Amino acid sequence: MKGNALVAHGGGPTAVINASLVGLVDGCRGMTTLYGARGGIKGILEENFIDLLSVDRALLASVRDTPASAIGSSRQKLAEADYERILAIFRKRDIRHFFYTGGNGSMDTALRFSNSSDLRVIGIPKTIDNDLAVTDHTPGYPSTARFFAEAARDIGEDNRSLPSPVCVLEVLGRNAGWVVAATCLARKGEDDAPHLIYFPERRVSLETICGDVERVYRRLGRVVIAVCEGQLDEQGLAFGADVDRPASAVHRLSSNLGHTLARLITEKTGLRARAEKPGLLGRSCGPFATELDRREAYECGLAAASAERGMMVALRRDSRTFLTPLETVARKERLLPLEWIAPEGNDILPAFAEYARPLVGEIVHYPHLY
Amino acid sequence: MKGNALVAHGGGPTAVINASLVGLVDGCRGMTTLYGARGGIKGILEENFIDLLSVDRALLASVRDTPASAIGSSRQKLAEADYERILAIFRKRDIRHFFYTGGNGSMDTALRFSNSSDLRVIGIPKTIDNDLAVTDHTPGYPSTARFFAEAARDIGEDNRSLPSPVCVLEVLGRNAGWVVAATCLARKGEDDAPHLIYFPERRVSLETICGDVERVYRRLGRVVIAVCEGQLDEQGLAFGADVDRPASAVHRLSSNLGHTLARLITEKTGLRARAEKPGLLGRSCGPFATELDRREAYECGLAAASAERGMMVALRRDSRTFLTPLETVARKERLLPLEWIAPEGNDILPAFAEYARPLVGEIVHYPHLY
């Protein structure tokens, strides 16, 4: 193909985004230059590039298996003038192929470049949130789902062996409940954690949560709750958690919702409550990256190299890739189907596990002496 | 040996306490009965026992490799009357051998039973805090140290690829800095996280922390801080974090010190800060249990079975066990040697890594493209 190519990462990293990067590099071997923008959009604007085709192949192969982004990412929003500056940089360097790896916000940026230039713009899917439209699932999600499934199991076992009345596990996720739903995947018995799961798709009042907690506590003497960092109460507020920039969904990420909820539960019910928040560890935890997730991420990068312009690579159930127009995914947020949420709003129905288990793999269930 | 035996667990579980349990069961095969008290001291008082010698051997073998306590534990403090009640229960059931698995508080309880009865009381060491005296290290610590070393690495890589100015990793540990020190073990390069480590052995003011943060930020544009949940400021307070029961060190565990510190750093320096708190996951995370830790835990349980009364099993550097009198460990808290802490109080010196690396094993260091 004529001209040079560039790849950039947008938004939060995942445990397998580097596999997509290496897949793309392998797919672009015939090209003259594949620039990697260091630190996402910011790297493009500053022309802070790495020549990916000249990176030692053994180094690339080992980078494939590492979490977080090896070229860096950013959440920078593009100002009007930035588009023109970037297009000028692309012309100057004869960059005719632009690969952008990210979620639905990044796909919107990609779409805009695609619509306003002759660039061959290709989207590579990436989000732990699993909220991209069209694709069956998104690279990054299976590994994070596995992390939180195992976290819920292990915190549940800790809580079983030394019951502290209430333990809140704060899970990644703003608007979509795909990750928090995955905490169900290690459950087998009726008393396995988590005993209550809430979903950002359904607002829930503190009163409802406390009623649920008291019911479980009466039955088991202990309660493990899984809740998203983005969960909202019935008024659409974050239960009084610290919110850095209320207008920005992204910056709710730095909040303390789990801890705040734990304190409120204690106030209301008199039951001692604590909270755990693995936070960023849930998206970048190397030891939890699954082989399926890595392989699919790699395949998405590889398929992008030869994709036609204006498309995003997507995944079928069986890991095969296909292409979908950027406008089918840009800014579209796929939430958890409401019919998969239990009518009481505090648990997930078996349809979700049927969807997620093949992606996440079997989670070891621990034997018990009692 | 004549009479029956009983084992109970005290305090927080670990990733390998079940290996100690199975080691003890294997060592007690010649005895008539080995009771396991369900839920620690509470289980003894309620005579809630499991007959461990009749548990299916295949089940026991699989329990060996699970985190958290398979018979349950408690933090219950013994009232004066409880001692007499327990001794009466022991007499009634002809229990003459009492194995108590725990840290220095549990060893104090064990010592009291040993001093006031004819029981053969044996202590089995267990604590992620690594703060037991005499023993070179304690089962449970290597696995938790590994968890936080890898957590610091992975959060560091996430922060490297999408720099949020300041990220606070809240680490388990009240008074002893053995676990927070272990966050250094994945570092190789000058810019690897954590960039600042504080120790409960040294109080530190918010002003000092903010000065350190600004210095690192000027150099790298990002700062990862590792700090204990039990860290105190120069006034001996928890930086304003929620403290459920100020008089109880144990109950500081449910606080939000990392988040509170992050908010204060933002207020003082203007740098956005967030906090992660894996919490209980750090002591009960199955996938991070190391084979060395499991094997040593098993050996401690096995050695306890034939130990002489009034002793605790301890470990040498090379994993061999030896016995030490309970009075040498009861209520004694081994803190991190002050001479291992950097003079500035914000990092650990190489002497610690020389101590810890053989216990924790090599931590994979990720390659970088930039």
Side-chain angles (χ1 to χ4, degrees), chain A residues 11-14 21 38-39 50 52 55 59-60 62-63 65-75 147 150-155 157-164 167 172 229 242-245 251 253-256 259 263 266 272-281 283-288 366-370, chain B residues 11-14 21 38-39 50 52 55 59-60 62-63 65-75 147 150-155 157-164 167 172 229 242-245 251 253-256 259 263 266 272-281 283-288 366-370:
Chain A
T14 74
L21 182 73
R38 284 174 169 151
I50 176 171
L52 287 167
V55 171
L59 173 59
L60 263 187
S62 60
V63 162
D65 294 342
T66 63
S69 165
I71 56 173
S73 186
S74 81
R75 291 199 189 279
F147 176 92
E150 300 211 18
R153 175 196 61 194
D154 289 354
I155 286 172
E157 292 306 302
D158 188 291
N159 181 262
R160 183 198 300 273
S161 62
L162 183 65
S164 55
C167 180
L172 290 175
E229 57 188 339
D242 294 334
V243 176
D244 277 357
R245 301 182 195 173
H251 290 110
L253 292 181
S254 55
S255 90
N256 56 341
H259 178 77
R263 300 290 292 186
T266 299
R272 291 193 70 241
R274 57 173 289 152
E276 324 301 329
K277 182 200 177 191
L280 298 179
L281 196 56
R283 74 181 186 200
S284 292
C285 194
F288 285 87
Y366 299 136
H368 292 125
L369 293 185
Y370 73 113
Chain B
T14 74
L21 183 72
R38 283 174 168 149
I50 177 171
L52 288 167
V55 171
L59 173 59
L60 262 186
S62 60
V63 161
D65 293 342
T66 63
S69 165
I71 56 172
S73 185
S74 82
R75 291 199 189 280
F147 176 92
E150 300 210 19
R153 174 197 61 194
D154 290 354
I155 285 172
E157 292 306 302
D158 188 291
N159 180 260
R160 183 197 302 272
S161 61
L162 183 65
S164 55
C167 181
L172 290 175
E229 57 187 340
D242 294 333
V243 177
D244 278 358
R245 301 181 195 175
H251 290 107
L253 292 181
S254 55
S255 90
N256 56 339
H259 178 77
R263 301 290 292 184
T266 299
R272 290 193 71 242
R274 55 173 291 152
E276 325 302 328
K277 181 200 176 190
L280 297 180
L281 197 56
R283 73 181 185 198
S284 292
C285 195
F288 285 87
Y366 298 137
H368 292 125
L369 293 185
Y370 73 113

